[in-house]
Amino acid sequence: MSAAWIEAFLEALAAERGARANTLAAYGRDLTDFRAHLTLRGSDLAEADRDAIEGYLAGLEAAGLAPSTRARRLASIRGLYRFAWSEGWRADNPAARIRSRRPPRPVPGVLDEAAVMRLLEAARCPAGSAAAQLRALRLRCIVELLYATGLRVSELVSLPLAATAGDPRMLLVRGKGGRDRMVPLGAEARAALAEWRAVRLAGGASPGPWLFPANGGRGHFSRIAVWQQLKRLAAQAGIDPAEVTPHGLRHAFATHMLANGADLRSIQALLGHADLSTTEIYTHVLDARLKALVFEHHPLAAPGTG
């Protein structure tokens, strides 16, 4: 019965939430390990209570598993029992009141606005041979889009050419879990996109399906190629290459938007986060802004008052 519960739960995740294969495999491993733990103690998923779950988690801690791993195992168990309760297989959810002791997620290092402007300026200066100028135009478009939209690099390189037709003000992006979202484009990003598209479509030959085709002509440009070119561009702009990554530009997009007045829910939608808790790593920006607002506008917050 226990194995059937796990199988049904994974099928529901795939059918109802569009969970990817890697996600399903991780849930499956976590729950199979928990089930094996219960079996060794003469129990199963249908009988386990809160003490059994907490005992399992304590064993993981004693074995030296990282807090993040233990938190993920608990999330898997909690999800399974929520599903079992909704299906009427159990009258309770024994994991419902167990809280994870997962440490707060670290705030990612973020390029400041001046550094991003230097990076963009370096990308706007194509020079050299025709081939070098072509590569520079492509890189400029990539950098402009990454910073203007907050796209994941995997989302960017897999953009279809057809999705960018007609000088779009919005891009339709397919994100994690097959979820689609609309992302607006600013003037600089649209200009870089239009210039790159004109080059892509020149020559009359079939342009292929991707906005950024691979150099070899098969598939799209790779994530690692974007990473490598950003490193070279950072050095050209006088920025430590270790500080510049595609995901770093995504973090810069979110942080700079919040610092300039955007709300957290809007950032969640633009980044394609399924859960607001994922976006909350950026609340340090909101904390700083709110503190500045109090010191600037509250009548008793000025130095020397009170």
Side-chain angles (χ1 to χ4, degrees), residues 32-291:
T32 298
D33 187 77
F34 177 55
R35 177 180 169 236
H37 168 86
L38 294 175
T39 300
L40 286 174
R41 285 153 183 78
S43 184
D44 62 19
L45 295 174
E47 299 174 355
D49 57 13
R50 177 173 177 171
D51 288 343
I53 298 170
E54 290 182 331
Y56 170 69
L57 296 172
L60 297 179
E61 184 173 7
L65 270 71
S68 58
T69 302
R70 302 197 305 269
R72 195 197 67 223
R73 295 276 179 95
L74 175 57
S76 299
I77 294 167
R78 189 182 289 132
L80 173 67
Y81 278 117
R82 189 184 305 118
F83 176 73
W85 175 81
S86 69
E87 293 291 308
W89 298 341
R90 285 195 57 139
D92 66 339
N93 178 349
R97 296 182 178 276
I98 302 176
R99 293 290 172 261
S100 170
R101 289 186 290 172
R102 184 173 185 169
R105 296 179 65 183
V107 175
V110 178
L111 290 169
D112 62 28
E113 292 184 38
V116 174
M117 291 305 109
R118 293 207 309 274
L119 196 69
L120 291 171
E121 188 59 35
R124 291 168 185 162
C125 300
S129 66
Q133 290 187 31
L134 183 68
R135 290 192 297 270
L137 287 174
R138 178 180 61 193
L139 182 56
R140 178 198 167 196
C141 185
I142 286 172
V143 176
E144 293 279 5
L145 288 178
L146 282 174
Y147 182 60
T149 64
L151 292 183
R152 301 175 179 92
V153 66
S154 58
E155 296 168 344
L156 178 75
V157 297
S158 61
L159 276 174
L161 182 61
T164 63
D167 187 25
R169 266 55 175 177
M170 304 281 285
L171 283 181
L172 177 63
V173 179
R174 167 87 23 122
K176 285 186 175 181
R179 292 184 293 271
D180 291 336
R181 69 185 188 278
M182 297 296 293
V183 180
L185 289 178
E188 292 289 346
R190 292 206 321 274
L193 177 59
E195 193 169 9
W196 171 244
R197 273 183 55 85
V199 172
R200 278 280 288 110
L201 295 170
S206 175
W210 307 110
L211 177 61
F212 301 108
N215 289 333
R218 291 187 176 182
H220 55 64
F221 208 52
S222 70
R223 291 174 292 179
I224 189 64
V226 173
W227 184 87
Q228 290 168 339
Q229 293 202 12
L230 280 180
K231 297 295 181 184
R232 289 194 287 270
L233 184 65
Q236 181 182 334
I239 303 169
D240 182 357
E243 297 179 1
V244 180
T245 65
H247 212 67
L249 286 175
R250 178 171 161 87
H251 289 317
F253 163 82
T255 300
H256 299 168
M257 287 279 289
L258 282 168
N260 285 284
D263 64 273
L264 206 59
R265 286 285 184 186
S266 297
I267 298 300
Q268 177 193 1
L270 291 169
L271 293 177
H273 287 160
D275 194 317
L276 185 62
S277 63
T278 309
T279 319
E280 285 173 349
I281 59 172
Y282 299 109
T283 53
H284 68 289
V285 180
L286 293 176
D287 292 343
R289 196 172 79 217
L290 291 172
K291 186 182 296 183

Side-chain angles (χ1 to χ4, degrees), residues 6-28 175-179 274:
I6 296 173
E7 183 178 352
F9 173 55
L10 297 179
E11 287 178 356
L13 285 179
E16 298 172 12
R17 300 188 189 178
R20 296 282 181 95
N22 287 345
T23 301
L24 296 173
Y27 271 94
K176 285 186 175 181
R179 292 184 293 271

